[in-house]
Amino acid sequence: MTEDRSALRVESIAVSAGRPAASPDGPLNLPITPASALHAGGDSGYARDGQPPWAALEATIGALEGGHAVVFSSGMAAAQAALTLIGPAARIVAPAVAYMDVRRSLMRQDETGPRSVTFVDVADTQAVLDACEQADALWLESPTNPLLEVADLPRLCTAARERGIFCVVDNTMATPLLQQPLLLGADLVVHSATKAMGGHSDLLLGAVAASAAGSVARLHEARELYGATPGALEVFLCLRGLRTLPLRMQCAQSNAMALAERLVGHRDALEVRYPGLRSHPDHQRAASTMSGFGTLLTVRVAGGAARADAVVDAVQLIAHATSFGAVESTLERRARYPAERDVPDDLLRISVGCEHVDDLWDDLTRALDATRGASGRSCMNGPTSTCCTS
Ligand SMILES: *Cc1c(COP(=O)(O)O)cnc(C)c1O
């Protein structure tokens, strides 16, 4: 499972990496293996310290990122493991807008010390570089969740490397199919594999990838010492999900682009954000630094928070749910979380999946039509919902 796959293209890596060696009548896939005690004499010896199904998933994620991956029980566990590689009193530069629980975790570190965290607008390259003058570590996320700002990763990763600043990139939203930060000079790449990698809304899992052997060893140690180990079923499902990541990405991205373009012309869409739209402030940067524009878009709907809440209750095909990157399209009003303080009240984040784009469009426009005038209370659920105005 450590064979060199560098000659293969991503679609082939996703399908073929991490397979067991061929043996007559042996399965093509590693089975689900519930295990704690392992027979002595191997490299691991105990299930918390590593096991073959984890290694298969790690080989696949590592090959896609161009490094070596270590898997964890969730994306947050992966982020915490990445933080253990940053010095105890480090000055960290981080995005002002980022996945809310990562940001909350960084804010907590800043409050409690001795680490300090400076929050910057990651789309403002000069502001990030200026903040890096006084920094030991740079934490990046791009595109950012949920505002879809795009950072200049090639420039920022190079600058961090030149200045000896430890650079971590949360690559959850883009996935290694759209950008490979390790190849740009980042020290670590963090993933919530819960999202697009798993891709079916049925597991929690995380991963950190690194190039340097020393970093990989410390990530293994972090998993051994803190015990954020992935479950057997989750590992199996995630590897299965990864097999179709390129295919799902292709479909969902083209659906997202089409929905974004159609929404721009819709009377109830106050502002549509998708990195693939020319109107997106970072469109040129996304076009030149990423090989696709991703599967998320946001729309601010006319009528404020109440209307937005009515829309999420009125959709039927699209699920009202958090998370993203799955075959199922989902949407939510992001400002419903108190932690999303920078997000407009009326902003819906839509994670576009692999349904037919016309069905998604019909669902969304029906929900917008059914809720026109809703500005007071939310609608009732269901197809016959009547909306209340106040
Ligand atoms: C969801 C998410 C995480 C956290 O991952 P979990 O698997 O939910 O723990 C971290 N970063 C980003 C960008 C995310 O979207």
Side-chain angles (χ1 to χ4, degrees):
M1 275 174 288
T2 51
E3 66 270 57
D4 178 23
R5 302 192 167 267
S6 50
L8 295 178
R9 293 161 184 84
V10 285
E11 292 83 354
S12 312
I13 294 173
V15 168
S16 66
R19 301 261 180 200
S23 66
D25 283 342
L28 272 70
N29 296 286
L30 276 176
I32 300 169
T33 311
S36 55
L38 307 175
H39 283 293
D43 292 336
S44 173
Y46 184 48
R48 175 156 45 75
D49 301 343
Q51 38 182 295
W54 297 0
L57 177 58
E58 289 167 345
T60 309
I61 296 173
L64 289 171
E65 282 292 359
H68 299 277
V70 180
V71 291
F72 294 88
S73 53
S74 69
M76 284 312 296
Q80 295 308 322
L83 280 169
T84 66
L85 274 69
I86 294 176
R91 296 160 302 174
I92 304 172
V93 173
V97 175
Y99 174 63
M100 59 181 174
D101 287 345
V102 169
R103 186 177 62 180
R104 268 171 60 203
S105 164
L106 290 167
M107 285 166 67
R108 185 57 58 89
Q109 309 237 336
D110 186 56
E111 281 159 26
T112 54
R115 284 178 180 154
S116 65
V117 185
T118 305
F119 292 95
V120 292
D121 173 359
V122 278
D124 183 344
T125 305
Q126 194 55 50
V128 182
L129 293 174
D130 289 347
C132 282
E133 296 288 343
Q134 307 292 326
D136 306 299
L138 174 61
W139 187 286
L140 295 169
E141 179 180 311
S142 180
T144 59
N145 180 6
L147 292 184
L148 309 178
E149 303 151 306
V150 180
D152 190 341
L153 283 192
R155 249 189 98 192
L156 294 176
C157 292
T158 304
R161 172 128 305 200
E162 284 169 4
R163 297 170 198 199
I165 295 171
F166 195 80
C167 179
V168 182
V169 178
D170 186 330
N171 202 24
T172 298
M173 196 180 283
T175 84
L177 301 184
L178 306 191
Q179 61 194 14
Q180 295 167 295
L182 294 180
L183 306 187
L184 301 172
D187 293 286
L188 300 181
V189 167
V190 169
H191 275 288
S192 168
T194 306
K195 314 290 167 54
M197 284 189 175
H200 295 74
S201 308
D202 54 8
L203 60 88
L204 285 165
L205 211 105
V208 186
S211 310
S215 294
V216 178
R218 290 183 65 186
L219 292 166
H220 275 281
E221 186 187 56
R223 187 172 62 191
E224 286 168 26
L225 298 187
Y226 300 110
T229 53
L233 178 62
E234 284 78 0
V235 166
F236 177 87
L237 288 174
C238 187
L239 185 49
R240 186 177 165 124
L242 270 175
R243 302 299 187 209
T244 55
L245 176 64
L247 206 60
R248 289 185 283 110
M249 197 70 174
Q250 202 179 5
C251 172
Q253 273 196 140
S254 100
N255 281 352
M257 185 76 207
L259 284 183
E261 281 173 336
R262 291 185 201 183
L263 272 171
V264 166
H266 195 282
R267 60 188 273 204
D268 295 324
L270 299 185
E271 186 189 323
V272 184
R273 266 201 173 214
Y274 180 66
L277 292 176
R278 279 178 203 287
S279 58
H280 188 290
D282 306 321
H283 170 70
Q284 285 305 333
R285 180 181 291 161
S288 62
T289 63
M290 296 166 67
S291 51
F293 298 113
T295 63
L296 282 112
L297 61 95
T298 66
V299 56
R300 297 182 62 184
V301 296
R307 171 79 182 290
D309 281 336
V311 171
V312 301
D313 282 341
V315 285
Q316 293 167 44
L317 177 62
I318 305 172
H320 178 203
T322 192
S323 199
F324 61 87
V327 284
E328 307 89 356
S329 295
T330 57
L331 92 178
E332 70 175 331
R333 186 174 72 83
R334 204 58 194 173
R336 68 182 165 131
Y337 303 105
E340 292 285 36
R341 51 177 193 192
D342 300 314
V343 179
D345 240 21
D346 53 5
L347 181 140
L348 296 179
R349 188 188 71 183
I350 306 179
S351 170
V352 183
C354 297
E355 302 89 343
H356 195 286
V357 66
D358 291 339
D359 292 327
L360 293 173
W361 178 245
D362 289 347
D363 192 36
L364 202 54
T365 49
R366 251 198 306 261
L368 286 166
D369 287 344
T371 56
R372 196 162 294 126
S375 58
R377 290 192 278 142
S378 302
C379 294
M380 306 295 292
N381 253 321
T384 56
S385 70
T386 47
C387 286
C388 331
T389 47
S390 68

